[in-house]
C-alpha cells in the first residue's frame, strides 16, 4: 500500500503577464501514496490551491505551467492531450471545492448533475445511471435519497451540498480526490460529519485524498502526512504525527505558537511579524528570512536547500532540526489572569431580547409567520470583561450583537446599558450614546467605505460625536490611533484597498476606538484572517482591554479563540442560549448536549486526547419553523419524551452558570 | 490636488482609455463638436440670430463646391438666407445645452427620489416607485407633446418662443427621472446591506450624512454610465420635438428645428438644409453612445476582473 500514486516534480506555475509574473507555485515536489490522506497546509496566497489547479490543468486564463512534471500512476498529466485530460479529470482524479453553494448548477436537479458525471466517467454503469446515482447518494450519507434526487441545490443545506459534490467526484471512481478547503465554509458540527464521511469513503474505496487546508486542527484530525507551503514552495514535509509533535521549520513552529488556546490564557500570542513576500520577485534568499527570528547570515545569501530529516520527511532551512527549537520557552506558563468568578457590577444587560423578522406573502404583504432569529436572550456583561457568544452560523448570534447596538430594532425585551434603557431612547439620544459602544465586523473589506481615505474614516466618528476638538486636533488623534493599532502615519492618506486583510481590521479597530467606547461588539473579527494575522489582532484586542478596560461581546464560532480570551461563554442554538457560564465551567465541563457536541466536533491539534466525539446528525432547523419542545431534540443523542413536548426551563446552577436542559434540571 | 492628479494618471481608467482606439476617437470627436459649438460666437462667419445680417436674397444657396455655390457660404444657406455652417454651430450649442441641463435635472430628481426610496424603504419606497412606474408608462414624447402644446396654446407663441429652451429642459428633465431613480434605488439597496453602512450608523451619523456621504459615492458608477446614454437620449428627444414643431423656434434653431425647416425643401432640391444638421446630430449621438458603452465596460466589475 505504499506505492506512489501521484508524483509531482519541480512544478512551477506562473500567473499574469510575462514581464512581471507572479510565481504562484515555484518548484514543488510531492509524492502521494495510494490510500493515504496527504494534507497541503498553508496560509492564503501561498500557492496551495494553484498547485491543485495545476494538477487538474484547470488554471485561470492567465495561469500557465512553466516547468515540472506530474505523474498519476504511469500517466504524465502535463503531456496529455486536452481530450484525454478531460477523461482523467473527474475520472481518476476527482475534485471538490470550498464553496458548495456555487459549485453546483442551480437550475438542474442534483440527480441530473451526478448522473452526468456517471455517464461520462463510468462506462460500466452507463446502462443503469439512475440506480448508480442512488447508490452514490446513499454512500455519501444523504438521507431519503430517492426524494433528494429530484431536488434542486437551493433545497439543500450547505453540508448536504458538499455531500452532493463528493458524490459527483466519486462517480468516476477516483484514485485521487483533491479536496480544496472542503469544510472551510461549513460549521464545525457539519465539518465533523464531512471529514468523517471522507475518512469512511477512503477506507472503503482506497482512494488517496489530497487535502488542501489552512486549518491545523483539520490536518491533525484526518491527515496521514502533511506538506507545509510558504510563498510557492513546500518548506516542510512530515508525517502528521511527527509534524504535530515537533514541527521542524521555524515557520511551522511559529504557526503552532500563534494558535490561541486555553493554555495560552494571559500570555501574548506569538506573532509572525511582517507578511508573506511578494511572489513577483526572483528569490535568491530564504523566503521566510524577513519574518524569521533565527535567521543566519547565510539565509540572506543562499536559498536554503531541501534537508532530509527522515525518509519522506524534511524541510527547506539552513538550520539543523535541533537548532530550530533552540531558545524557545517550552514550559507552559501558569494561568496569570485571575479566574473570573462572577461580578456584581453590570455594564450591559439584556432581558428577554427578541428579534423576529416577519415573513410576508401575497399582494397585500400579509404577515404569515416570523423568522425568530433571536428568541428571548438574557445576557449580563460585567465591565472590563469579555463575554463570548458561541454558536453555528444561522443561530442568531450576529443579530444579537446588532440588536444590542440598536442597528436592528429588537421586537421585544430590554437592553440596558449602565442602567439606561436603549430600546426606549429617542434617535437623538441614542446617537449620542453611540460613542460608548462600537462594533468590529467580520469582513474588514465590506466594513469600510471604499471611497474614503483611511484618515477620514477614522475621524468621522469623532466628528459625528463632536469630540476630539477641531479638525487639526482630530487629525493628530487619528495619527495617534493609527500608531496605537500598529500602522504607520502614512496610512491616513491611503484608501482601504491599499491594505491587507489584517491591516484593514486594524483600521476598523482604530475607527471603533476613535470615539473612546467602553463596550465593543466583536463580530467574528478574526475569522476572515490567517492564523498568524489572527494572533496579531487578538493580541491587540487584549492589550486594549487591559489598558482601557474595554468590555467585549465576542461573537465567534472559533472555540479556541474563546478559550484563549473570554471570561464568560454563552452558547446559542437557534435563537436561544442553551448554556452559559465562565469559560472554565463551560469548556471544561459542558453540561448541555449541544455544547458537548459542539466542543467535541472542533478538531484540535492534540493528537491523542482520546476523547469521545459526539457526532451530530442532520442540520440546524430553520428559525422560521423551530421544532416543537426543545429546539435541539431532533439532533440530540439523549432526547427523551419530555424534550419533544416543552422547551426546558433554565436551571441556574450557580451565580454564573445556567443550562437549559431537562437532564440538568432534574438533578 | 497633485495627489489626485497622480492617482488619476496611474489609474486603470486612464490606462484602459489609452488602449481603446474607439474610446479615444469618440472622445476626440465629442470634444471637437462641443468646443466648436461653444466657441460659435467667436468662430462662426455669421450671426444667425442677428436679423440685420441676413439677406433674403441669399436664400437657398447650395454648398460652395457646387456650381451655384457662393464662396461666402461654405455649406450653403437655408430658406431664410442664413449661413448653414453658422446656424449649425449655434444649433449644436443649443442641442448640447438642452441635453446637459435636462440630464442635470433628471440627475437631481432621480438621485433625491431614488436615494430616499432605497434608504427609507417601506411606504416611501412603494409610493415613489409606483409613481415612477406610472410615469414610465407614458412615453417621454407623449408627455412632452401634450405639455408643450398646451403651453403654446394658452400663453401664445411669442412667450413660448422666449421660454422654449427652459420649457424643453424642464419637460425632458421631468419626464425621464424614473430611469435614474430606479438605478439609484437598486444600487442603494445593494450598498445599504454592506457592513460599512452599519459601521457608520454605530458611530452615530445621521441618515442624511450616511445617504449622501457614504452610500451615494458608491452608487456613482452606474449613474455615470446611464448619464452618457441619457444625454444622447435627451438630445434626440429635443430634436424629435423640434422636428414636430414643438421645440426650438425657427429664429433660434436647434439641430432638430433645422432638420425640420429644411425638410419642406428636400424634394425641391435643397438637400443640404436637412442633411448637414442631420449628419451632425447622428455623429453627436453616436459618439456619446460609444463613450457610454466603453464607460460601462470599464466600470463593470464583472468584466473588469479578466
Amino acid at each position: 500500500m505504499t506505492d506512489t500514486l501521484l508524483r509531482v516534480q519541480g512544478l512551477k506555475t506562473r500567473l499574469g503577464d510575462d514581464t512581471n509574473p507572479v510565481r504562484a507555485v515555484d518548484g514543488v515536489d510531492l509524492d502521494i501514496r495510494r490510500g493515504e490522506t496527504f494534507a497541503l497546509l498553508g496560509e492564503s496566497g501561498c500557492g496551495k490551491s494553484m498547485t491543485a489547479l495545476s494538477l487538474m490543468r484547470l488554471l485561470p486564463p492567465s495561469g500557465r505551467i512553466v516547468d515540472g512534471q506530474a505523474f498519476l500512476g504511469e500517466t504524465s498529466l502535463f503531456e496529455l492531450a486536452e481530450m484525454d485530460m478531460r477523461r482523467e479529470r473527474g475520472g481518476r482524479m476527482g475534485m471538490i471545492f470550498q464553496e458548495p453553494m456555487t459549485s453546483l448548477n442551480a437550475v438542474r436537479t442534483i440527480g441530473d448533475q451526478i448522473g452526468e458525471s456517471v455517464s461520462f466517467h463510468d462506462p460500466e454503469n452507463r446502462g443503469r445511471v439512475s440506480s448508480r446515482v442512488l447508490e452514490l447518494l446513499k454512500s455519501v450519507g444523504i438521507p431519503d435519497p430517492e426524494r433528494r434526487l429530484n431536488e434542486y441545490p437551493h433545497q439543500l443545506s450547505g453540508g448536504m451540498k458538499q455531500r452532493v459534490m463528493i458524490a459527483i467526484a466519486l462517480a468516476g471512481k477516483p484514485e485521487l480526490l483533491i479536496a480544496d478547503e472542503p469544510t472551510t465554509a461549513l460549521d464545525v458540527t457539519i465539518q465533523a460529519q464531512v471529514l468523517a464521511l471522507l475518512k469512511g469513503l477512503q477506507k472503503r474505496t482506497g482512494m488517496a485524498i489530497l487535502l488542501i487546508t489552512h486549518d491545523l486542527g483539520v490536518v491533525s484530525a484526518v491527515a496521514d502526512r502533511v506538506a507545509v507551503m510558504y510563498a510557492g514552495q513546500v518548506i516542510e514535509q512530515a508525517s502528521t504525527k511527527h509534524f504535530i509533535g515537533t514541527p521542524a521549520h521555524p515557520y511551522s513552529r511559529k504557526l503552532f505558537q500563534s494558535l490561541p488556546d486555553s493554555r495560552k490564557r494571559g500570555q501574548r500570542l506569538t506573532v509572525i511579524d511582517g507578511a508573506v513576500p511578494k511572489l513577483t520577485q526572483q528569490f535568491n534568499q530564504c523566503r521566510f528570512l524577513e519574518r524569521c527570528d533565527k535567521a543566519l547570515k547565510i539565509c540572506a545569501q543562499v536559498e536554503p536547500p531541501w534537508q532530509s530529516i527522515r525518509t519522506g520527511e524534511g524541510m527547506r532551512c539552513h538550520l539543523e532540526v535541533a537548532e530550530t527549537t533552540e531558545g524557545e520557552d517550552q514550559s507552559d506558563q501558569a494561568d496569570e489572569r485571575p479566574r473570573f468568578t462572577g461580578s456584581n457590577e453590570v455594564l450591559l444587560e439584556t432581558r428577554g431580547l427578541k428579534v423576529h423578522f416577519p415573513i410576508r406573502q401575497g399582494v397585500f404583504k400579509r404577515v404569515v409567520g416570523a423568522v425568530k432569529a433571536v428568541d428571548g436572550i438574557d445576557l449580563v456583561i460585567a465591565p472590563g470583561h469579555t463575554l463570548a457568544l458561541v454558536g453555528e452560523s444561522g443561530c442568531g448570534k450576529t443579530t444579537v450583537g446588532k440588536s444590542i447596538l440598536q442597528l436592528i430594532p429588537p421586537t421585544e425585551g430590554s437592553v440596558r446599558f449602565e442602567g439606561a434603557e436603549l430600546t426606549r431612547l429617542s434617535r437623538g439620544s441614542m446617537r449620542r450614546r453611540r460613542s460608548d459602544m462600537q462594533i468590529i465586523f467580520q469582513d474588514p473589506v465590506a466594513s469600510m467605505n471604499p471611497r474614503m481615505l483611511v484618515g477620514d474614516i477614522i475621524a468621522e466618528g469623532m466628528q459625528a460625536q463632536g469630540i476630539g476638538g477641531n479638525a487639526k486636533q482630530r487629525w493628530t488623534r487619528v495619527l495617534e490611533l493609527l500608531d496605537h493599532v500598529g500602522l504607520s502615519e502614512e496610512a491616513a492618506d491611503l484608501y482601504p484597498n491599499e491594505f491587507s486583510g489584517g491591516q484593514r481590521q486594524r483600521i476598523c479597530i482604530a475607527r471603533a476606538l476613535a470615539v473612546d467606547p467602553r463596550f465593543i461588539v466583536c463580530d467574528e473579527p478574526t475569522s476572515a484572517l490567517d492564523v498568524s494575522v489572527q494572533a496579531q489582532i487578538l493580541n491587540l484586542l487584549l492589550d486594549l482591554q487591559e489598558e482601557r478596560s474595554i468590555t467585549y461581546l465576542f461573537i465567534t464560532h472559533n472555540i479556541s479563540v474563546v478559550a484563549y480570551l473570554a471570561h464568560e461563554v454563552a452558547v446559542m442554538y437557534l435563537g436561544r442560549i442553551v448554556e452559559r457560564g465562565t469559560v472554565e465551567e463551560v469548556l471544561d465541563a459542558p453540561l448541555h448536549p449541544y455544547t458537548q457536541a459542539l466542543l467535541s466536533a472542533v478538531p484540535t491539534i492534540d493528537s491523542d486526547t482520546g476523547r469521545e466525539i459526539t457526532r451530530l446528525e442532520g442540520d440546524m432547523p430553520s428559525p422560521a419553523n423551530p421544532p416543537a419542545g426543545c429546539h435541539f431534540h431532533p439532533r440530540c443523542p439523549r432526547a427523551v419524551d419530555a424534550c419533544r413536548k416543552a422547551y426546558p426551563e433554565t436551571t441556574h446552577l450557580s451565580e454564573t452558570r445556567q443550562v437549559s436542559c431537562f437532564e440538568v434540571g432534574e438533578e | 490636488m497633485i495627489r489626485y492628479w497622480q492617482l488619476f494618471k496611474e489609474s486603470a481608467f486612464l490606462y484602459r482609455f489609452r488602449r481603446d482606439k474607439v474610446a479615444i476617437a469618440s472622445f476626440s470627436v465629442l470634444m471637437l463638436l462641443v468646443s466648436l459649438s461653444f466657441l460659435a460666437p467667436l468662430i462662426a462667419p455669421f450671426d444667425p440670430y442677428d436679423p440685420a445680417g441676413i439677406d433674403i436674397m441669399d436664400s437657398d444657396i447650395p454648398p460652395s463646391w457646387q456650381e451655384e455655390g457662393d464662396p461666402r457660404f461654405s455649406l450653403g444657406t437655408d430658406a431664410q438666407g442664413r449661413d448653414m455652417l453658422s446656424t449649425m454651430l449655434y444649433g449644436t450649442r443649443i442641442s448640447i445645452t438642452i441635453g446637459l441641463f435636462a440630464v442635470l435635472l433628471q440627475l437631481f430628481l432621480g438621485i433625491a427620489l431614488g436615494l430616499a426610496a432605497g434608504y427609507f424603504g417601506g411606504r416611501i419606497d412603494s409610493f415613489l416607485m409606483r409613481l415612477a412606474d406610472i410615469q414610465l408608462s407614458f412615453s417621454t414624447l407623449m408627455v412632452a407633446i401634450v405639455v408643450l402644446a398646451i403651453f403654446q396654446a394658452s400663453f401664445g407663441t411669442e412667450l413660448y418662443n422666449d421660454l422654449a429652451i427652459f420649457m424643453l429642459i424642464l419637460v425632458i428633465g421631468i419626464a425621464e427621472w424614473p430611469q435614474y431613480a430606479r438605478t439609484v434605488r437598486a444600487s442603494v439597496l445593494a450598498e445599504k446591506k454592506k457592513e460599512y453602512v452599519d459601521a457608520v450608523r454605530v458611530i452615530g451619523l445621521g441618515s442624511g450624512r450616511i445617504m449622501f456621504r457614504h452610500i451615494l459615492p458608491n452608487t456613482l458608477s452606474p449613474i455615470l454610465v446611464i448619464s452618457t446614454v441619457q444625454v444622447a437620449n435627451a438630445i434626440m428627444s429635443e430634436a424629435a420635438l423640434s422636428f414636430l414643431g414643438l421645440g426650438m423656434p425657427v429664429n433660434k434653431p436647434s439641430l432638430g428645428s433645422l432638420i425640420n425647416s429644411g425638410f419642406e425643401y428636400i424634394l425641391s432640391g435643397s438637400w443640404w438644409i436637412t442633411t448637414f444638421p442631420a449628419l451632425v446630430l447622428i455623429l453627436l449621438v453616436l459618439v456619446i453612445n460609444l463613450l457610454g458603452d466603453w464607460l460601462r465596460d470599464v466600470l463593470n466589475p464583472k468584466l473588469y476582473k479578466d
Side-chain angles (χ1 to χ4, degrees):
Chain A
M1 282 294 282
T2 55
D3 57 333
T4 302
L5 173 69
L6 178 80
R7 173 179 296 140
V8 182
Q9 285 168 336
L11 174 67
K12 289 189 181 178
T13 301
R14 296 201 177 153
L15 295 172
D17 52 31
D18 275 312
T19 51
N20 204 13
V22 176
R23 296 173 171 81
V25 182
D26 205 14
V28 163
D29 304 316
L30 293 174
D31 277 304
I32 299 178
R33 299 168 197 153
R34 280 181 199 280
E36 76 169 348
T37 303
F38 188 92
L40 205 53
L41 177 79
E43 294 183 281
S44 51
C46 69
K48 53 192 194 304
S49 283
M50 280 301 148
T51 306
L53 291 175
S54 303
L55 294 178
M56 294 293 267
R57 289 189 25 202
L58 285 175
L59 288 168
S62 74
R64 64 212 170 272
I65 298 162
V66 292
D67 197 13
Q69 284 177 307
F71 295 94
L72 182 69
E74 296 299 312
T75 322
S76 174
L77 291 174
F78 299 158
E79 284 163 20
L80 283 181
E82 182 57 31
M83 260 312 281
D84 299 320
M85 189 62 207
R86 272 176 58 200
R87 214 157 286 284
E88 299 294 330
R89 230 183 259 147
R92 285 164 73 203
M93 294 162 80
M95 184 154 184
I96 52 177
F97 298 92
Q98 176 174 354
E99 271 300 335
M101 321 298 161
T102 52
S103 314
L104 286 169
N105 187 340
V107 297
R108 298 181 56 199
T109 64
I110 60 164
D112 248 17
Q113 298 185 45
I114 302 172
E116 190 177 47
S117 188
V118 171
S119 46
F120 186 73
H121 289 296
D122 192 3
E124 287 165 39
N125 284 315
R126 210 161 276 167
R128 44 181 287 272
V129 171
S130 55
S131 52
R132 173 71 183 145
V133 169
L134 216 55
E135 275 170 37
L136 284 167
L137 279 179
K138 271 184 203 144
S139 72
V140 295
I142 287 185
D144 200 1
E146 287 87 355
R147 191 167 57 85
R148 294 287 177 191
L149 224 105
N150 295 315
E151 289 192 343
Y152 290 89
H154 71 265
Q155 291 167 295
L156 290 114
S157 68
M160 284 293 166
K161 279 184 215 166
Q162 197 59 290
R163 283 167 191 267
V164 172
M165 284 304 297
I166 295 173
I168 291 176
L170 285 182
K173 298 181 180 158
E175 291 168 44
L176 174 69
L177 180 70
I178 300 180
D180 189 357
E181 304 264 10
T183 57
T184 307
L186 305 175
D187 282 314
V188 274
T189 56
I190 310 295
Q191 165 170 300
Q193 292 173 7
V194 172
L195 292 179
L197 171 69
L198 284 176
K199 266 298 185 198
L201 288 170
Q202 183 174 40
K203 215 170 263 172
R204 260 186 291 159
T205 62
M207 66 181 175
I209 298 178
L210 173 59
L211 180 75
I212 294 168
T213 184
H214 68 278
D215 190 333
L216 281 165
V218 170
V219 170
S220 98
V222 296
D224 301 313
R225 290 195 303 144
V226 55
V228 183
M229 275 194 85
Y230 185 79
Q233 279 186 333
V234 172
I235 55 157
E236 179 169 359
Q237 185 172 327
S239 72
T240 306
K241 214 173 122 214
H242 286 142
F243 181 69
I244 300 289
T246 48
H249 195 281
Y251 172 69
S252 317
R253 300 196 67 80
K254 287 245 181 179
L255 219 48
F256 276 96
Q257 287 159 5
S258 65
L259 276 184
D261 70 36
S262 56
R263 279 166 305 184
K264 293 177 188 150
R265 281 182 76 87
Q267 307 167 18
R268 291 179 64 84
L269 292 171
T270 307
V271 298
I272 309 179
D273 291 322
V276 181
K278 282 214 172 72
L279 294 178
T280 43
Q281 57 184 307
Q282 186 91 47
F283 288 96
N284 42 23
Q285 75 275 33
C286 174
R287 287 158 204 238
F288 191 57
L289 173 72
E290 283 156 32
R291 306 174 77 186
C292 187
D293 50 11
K294 298 199 174 67
L296 306 171
K297 230 184 218 164
I298 189 171
C299 299
Q301 293 153 356
V302 184
E303 196 166 5
W306 185 257
Q307 184 192 147
S308 189
I309 300 171
R310 295 182 199 85
T311 339
E313 299 189 6
M315 65 167 168
R316 202 177 279 282
C317 187
H318 285 297
L319 295 166
E320 297 289 324
V321 180
E323 289 174 319
T324 62
T325 57
E326 256 171 31
E328 278 171 18
D329 191 3
Q330 290 291 343
S331 64
D332 273 0
Q333 282 177 345
D335 196 344
E336 286 171 14
R337 276 198 292 178
R339 287 183 167 227
F340 178 72
T341 50
S343 164
N344 293 327
E345 284 177 277
V346 173
L347 182 77
L348 183 106
E349 184 180 13
T350 71
R351 284 266 161 262
L353 184 68
K354 288 186 183 177
V355 183
H356 293 185
F357 298 107
I359 305 169
R360 293 172 195 275
Q361 257 177 17
V363 188
F364 298 105
K365 303 275 169 72
R366 218 155 25 92
V367 177
V368 293
V371 176
K372 293 169 182 164
V374 178
D375 201 23
I377 293 252
D378 301 336
L379 288 176
V380 182
I381 309 178
H385 289 85
T386 303
L387 171 71
L389 195 57
V390 181
E392 294 177 279
S393 57
C395 74
K397 53 192 195 302
T398 294
T399 313
V400 171
K402 288 192 174 175
S403 65
I404 285 175
L405 296 176
Q406 308 297 310
L407 283 173
I408 301 172
T411 316
E412 230 182 278
S414 83
V415 180
R416 296 175 82 82
F417 185 83
E418 292 193 311
E421 178 60 53
L422 297 184
T423 51
R424 282 199 225 109
L425 282 183
S426 69
R427 266 165 184 269
S429 31
M430 186 63 218
R431 269 170 61 181
R432 282 191 293 282
R433 272 267 161 195
R434 291 252 181 244
S435 67
D436 283 335
M437 37 195 133
Q438 286 295 309
I439 186 165
I440 299 166
F441 293 98
Q442 169 175 0
D443 182 358
V445 180
S447 60
M448 277 187 284
N449 187 342
R451 293 183 191 258
M452 279 173 77
L453 291 175
V454 166
D456 292 333
I457 290 174
I458 298 173
E460 192 163 40
M462 291 186 264
Q463 210 176 333
Q465 296 291 342
I467 52 176
N470 60 27
K472 205 172 166 193
Q473 287 164 322
R474 272 191 216 130
W475 196 256
T476 326
R477 187 158 153 70
V478 166
L479 299 182
E480 277 170 27
L481 284 164
L482 281 172
D483 182 56
H484 209 101
V485 296
L487 292 170
S488 68
E489 292 191 351
E490 288 90 63
D493 288 318
L494 299 173
Y495 286 95
N497 64 4
E498 294 170 80
F499 295 90
S500 70
Q503 289 173 322
R504 287 190 211 202
Q505 201 57 292
R506 286 168 190 268
I507 297 170
C508 289
I509 294 174
R511 167 174 66 186
L513 289 179
V515 292
D516 253 327
R518 277 174 294 161
F519 173 64
I520 299 182
V521 175
C522 303
D523 189 355
E524 307 250 17
T526 58
S527 58
L529 307 174
D530 279 318
V531 183
S532 64
V533 181
Q534 163 172 294
Q536 298 171 4
I537 299 293
L538 293 181
N539 277 343
L540 177 60
L541 287 173
L542 279 182
D543 288 348
L544 291 171
Q545 183 165 53
E546 212 162 278
E547 281 166 35
R548 309 180 177 208
S549 65
I550 297 174
T551 312
Y552 293 126
L553 174 64
F554 205 95
I555 298 168
T556 185
H557 64 270
N558 188 333
I559 304 291
S560 52
V561 171
V562 173
Y564 171 65
L565 59 62
H567 297 98
E568 284 186 281
V569 184
V571 182
M572 245 183 117
Y573 186 78
L574 215 60
R576 297 192 183 177
I577 287 176
V578 295
E579 176 164 5
R580 66 164 295 182
T582 66
V583 70
E584 292 86 5
E585 287 169 341
V586 175
L587 297 190
D588 296 344
L591 289 175
H592 196 281
Y594 175 66
T595 318
Q596 292 167 353
L598 190 68
L599 293 180
S600 74
V602 178
T604 55
I605 53 169
D606 304 312
S607 41
D608 44 291
T609 44
R611 70 211 158 106
E612 202 178 313
I613 293 181
T614 320
R615 199 163 289 135
L616 286 184
E617 294 305 320
D619 299 298
M620 197 180 335
S622 153
N625 188 17
C630 175
H631 290 348
F632 187 58
H633 85 258
R635 298 175 76 191
C636 184
R638 298 199 297 273
V640 291
D641 267 350
C643 303
R644 293 181 188 95
K645 288 182 187 119
Y647 196 87
E649 290 288 311
T650 306
T651 316
H652 293 265
L653 296 171
S654 71
E655 207 179 313
T656 52
R657 190 99 203 254
Q658 62 187 54
V659 183
S660 300
C661 183
F662 286 117
E663 227 175 48
V664 179
E666 282 159 11
E667 284 162 19
Chain B
M1 206 57 225
I2 297 166
R3 191 185 133 75
Y4 284 109
W5 175 240
Q6 204 69 31
L7 271 179
F8 177 70
K9 271 207 319 208
E10 289 163 14
S11 65
F13 188 79
L14 191 68
Y15 176 75
R16 308 226 349 191
F17 180 75
R18 282 214 201 118
R19 281 171 37 126
D20 194 323
K21 288 191 182 109
V22 177
I24 296 176
S26 305
F27 187 74
S28 322
V29 172
L30 181 65
M31 280 301 110
L32 186 74
L33 285 173
V34 169
S35 43
L36 281 181
S37 62
F38 278 82
L39 293 175
L42 300 176
I43 56 173
F46 295 89
D47 180 1
Y49 295 169
D50 179 15
I54 301 171
D55 192 344
I56 195 75
M57 295 306 289
D58 293 333
S59 64
D60 282 332
I61 299 178
S64 53
W65 62 83
Q66 291 207 327
E67 260 176 47
E68 297 152 45
D70 185 324
R72 280 185 300 157
F73 309 109
S74 48
L75 294 178
T77 62
D78 69 357
Q80 294 169 49
R82 291 182 294 199
D83 174 40
M84 277 309 293
L85 177 64
S86 315
T87 320
M88 271 162 53
L89 286 175
Y90 278 86
T92 314
R93 185 169 71 157
I94 288 179
S95 285
I96 293 176
T97 310
I98 291 176
L100 282 179
F101 280 94
V103 168
L104 277 182
L105 185 61
Q106 290 171 17
L107 255 177
F108 175 75
L109 287 173
I111 287 179
L113 298 176
L115 261 181
Y119 188 78
F120 294 112
R123 277 163 199 272
I124 298 177
D125 184 27
S126 305
F127 174 74
L128 288 174
M129 285 304 111
R130 292 306 81 73
L131 200 66
D133 289 343
I134 294 169
Q135 171 124 37
L136 279 180
S137 61
F138 300 105
S139 82
T140 308
L141 278 182
M142 197 169 95
V143 177
I145 290 168
V146 171
V147 172
L148 293 176
I150 291 174
F151 186 86
Q152 212 164 357
S154 45
F155 292 98
T157 320
E158 193 113 333
L159 183 63
Y160 175 79
N161 286 352
D162 290 341
L163 294 177
I165 191 162
F166 298 106
M167 285 304 292
L168 282 167
I169 289 173
L170 216 57
V171 165
I172 298 172
I174 291 174
E176 296 258 314
W177 69 267
Q179 305 279 2
Y180 276 101
R182 285 182 159 189
T183 313
V184 172
R185 174 178 172 271
S187 310
V188 170
L189 287 181
E191 292 295 322
K192 202 171 74 166
K193 288 201 197 93
K194 293 196 182 160
E195 283 175 336
Y196 73 87
V197 177
D198 273 343
V200 292
R201 279 176 69 200
V202 167
I203 274 170
L205 292 189
S207 308
R209 212 179 138 87
I210 295 178
M211 279 200 285
F212 289 102
R213 181 97 198 262
H214 289 273
I215 295 181
L216 184 60
N218 285 295
T219 61
L220 282 183
S221 305
I223 294 180
L224 210 59
V225 171
I226 58 170
S227 289
T228 53
V229 180
Q230 286 296 88
V231 170
N233 279 349
I235 290 175
M236 288 295 275
S237 300
E238 185 278 329
L241 287 170
S242 296
F243 185 78
L244 294 173
L246 285 163
M248 294 305 293
V250 193
N251 58 353
K252 275 188 193 165
S254 66
L255 287 174
S257 26
L258 268 177
I259 296 170
N260 180 32
S261 70
F263 197 66
E264 301 161 36
Y265 306 100
I266 198 161
L267 290 176
S268 57
S270 309
W271 54 269
W272 58 90
I273 309 181
T274 289
T275 312
F276 291 131
L279 284 177
V280 174
L281 181 68
I282 291 170
L283 190 65
L284 183 63
V285 171
L286 181 71
V287 293
I288 296 177
N289 277 329
L290 284 176
L291 269 181
D293 279 355
W294 172 79
L295 204 59
R296 188 198 55 211
D297 291 350
V298 171
L299 295 179
N300 186 339
K302 274 187 190 150
L303 295 170
Y304 187 68
K305 268 188 184 159
D306 60 338

